Amino acid sequence: MVDLAQTAIEFSAEVFSEGDVYVALCPELSVSSFGPTPQKAKEALKEAMAAFVEGCHELGTLEEVLQEAGFSKQGQKWVGRTPLAQERLTATL
């Protein structure tokens, strides 16, 4: 089992605005949070990620969830995959 006190997770964060609120999203794990500024939204996302990881740990599913989301373990750190490319596409419906 993973010792959370000795573990770190590196993840992507997307920040966008929805009206007067900023939303921060970890797309790999579909975890999000919000705040009045982009920085506060990112801080709230870190807290949400910590709670998500702790919950998975308590359920005994942390390693499985992270691996299925494309994370790999590098020492005591879980690292998300790095995209080869990132772009916006349009599909005709």
Side-chain angles (χ1 to χ4, degrees), residues 9-86:
I9 182 169
E10 180 181 295
F11 58 92
S12 301
E14 296 177 4
V15 180
F16 50 93
S17 64
E18 288 187 354
D20 295 341
V21 176
Y22 291 90
V23 176
L25 167 71
C26 169
E28 298 98 334
L29 295 168
S30 297
V31 174
S32 64
S33 197
F34 63 93
T37 66
Q39 186 59 37
K40 293 285 187 186
K42 288 188 282 185
E43 291 170 13
L45 177 59
K46 287 181 184 180
E47 292 175 10
M49 284 293 293
F52 176 82
V53 167
E54 185 176 320
C56 289
H57 176 70
E58 289 174 1
L59 292 171
T61 61
L62 180 58
E63 290 190 26
E64 179 183 352
V65 167
L66 292 177
Q67 288 172 348
E68 285 181 6
F71 286 82
S72 61
K73 186 110 185 238
Q74 297 177 6
Q76 292 296 328
K77 185 180 202 179
W78 284 93
V79 179
R81 63 179 173 249
T82 302
L84 296 175
Q86 186 173 348

